[in-house]
Amino acid sequence: MSGPTLMILAVVALATSLPASASSSCIPIAEAGKHIGATHCVTGKVFRVKQGSRGVHFFDFCQDYRTCPFTVVVFSSDLKQIGDVRQLEGKQIEIDGEIKSYDGRAEIVLRRPGQLRGDAAHIPVLPKDYDVERHGKYSAEKFSYPKNSKSEPRKKQSPQVTLQDSSVPDSPTD
């Protein structure tokens, strides 16, 4: 083999022997704000997973979310595909995606399970009875008719009014 061929083989061997995390490193949450508009991997420990209105889930990486430089948002329409994100609470995660600015902080919207790396990528599916808009108390799969809050009272019927022609006598003696 010639010199250039050996060099190419050495580079390929070195590249395939490196772990995946070494070839594409993630930035910490504190640096995410410097990369708004770019697609990067961001890493941090999820302090809390909380559910907002209409089933939207947020990953808090700090005790006080208002001062935290980064967050992850999962919309309710994406939860079935991604899995039970509540299981990520307290875990170190790596997430790929476009870093956007929202409400003064950096965020990534989690839409696909492939955006998560490592152990976070293997979260369990949502329980079948978990309804994202009702905080898991009701099942979206079971159909039932809505219950009336109060039954309508029956209307009393007014007495029938008969119209009589005044030119026609009521009785034969009139």
Side-chain angles (χ1 to χ4, degrees):
M1 285 191 214
S2 65
T5 306
L6 283 175
M7 184 178 285
I8 291 173
L9 286 175
V11 169
V12 169
L14 179 62
T16 57
S17 67
L18 290 174
S21 60
S23 63
S24 59
S25 62
C26 295
I27 59 173
I29 63 166
E31 292 181 24
K34 298 175 188 174
H35 301 278
I36 301 292
T39 300
H40 276 287
C41 173
V42 178
T43 186
K45 185 172 183 176
V46 178
F47 182 76
R48 172 179 40 248
V49 176
K50 69 179 179 196
Q51 184 173 345
S53 63
R54 291 186 266 155
V56 178
H57 285 70
F58 300 93
F59 296 4
D60 292 336
F61 292 86
C62 307
Q63 189 166 1
D64 184 3
Y65 73 92
R66 293 175 295 241
T67 60
C68 201
F70 180 74
T71 190
V72 172
V73 179
V74 185
F75 294 106
S76 61
S77 57
D78 299 322
L79 271 179
K80 277 203 176 217
Q81 181 178 332
I82 294 169
D84 193 356
V85 294
R86 300 172 298 173
Q87 303 296 319
L88 297 176
E89 194 167 293
K91 295 185 179 176
Q92 185 78 20
I93 68 164
E94 295 178 350
I95 180 169
D96 288 305
E98 181 183 352
I99 301 172
K100 298 178 180 183
S101 178
Y102 182 79
D103 202 21
R105 81 186 91 185
E107 75 172 19
I108 290 180
V109 177
L110 178 58
R111 298 194 182 275
R112 302 174 321 280
Q115 289 178 261
L116 295 169
R117 294 184 183 180
D119 292 338
H122 306 292
I123 57 177
V125 296
L126 281 173
K128 286 192 178 212
D129 64 342
Y130 187 76
D131 183 356
V132 295
E133 293 190 15
R134 301 245 179 158
H135 303 277
K137 296 179 184 172
Y138 303 94
S139 174
E141 296 175 354
K142 295 178 185 173
F143 177 78
S144 62
Y145 289 99
K147 295 178 182 177
N148 291 337
S149 59
K150 213 174 194 184
S151 61
E152 300 264 337
R154 290 188 174 198
K155 293 183 180 180
K156 293 183 179 179
Q157 293 184 352
S158 55
Q160 287 186 338
V161 177
T162 58
L163 297 175
Q164 293 182 349
D165 188 4
S166 58
S167 64
V168 177
D170 287 340
S171 66
T173 57
D174 287 338

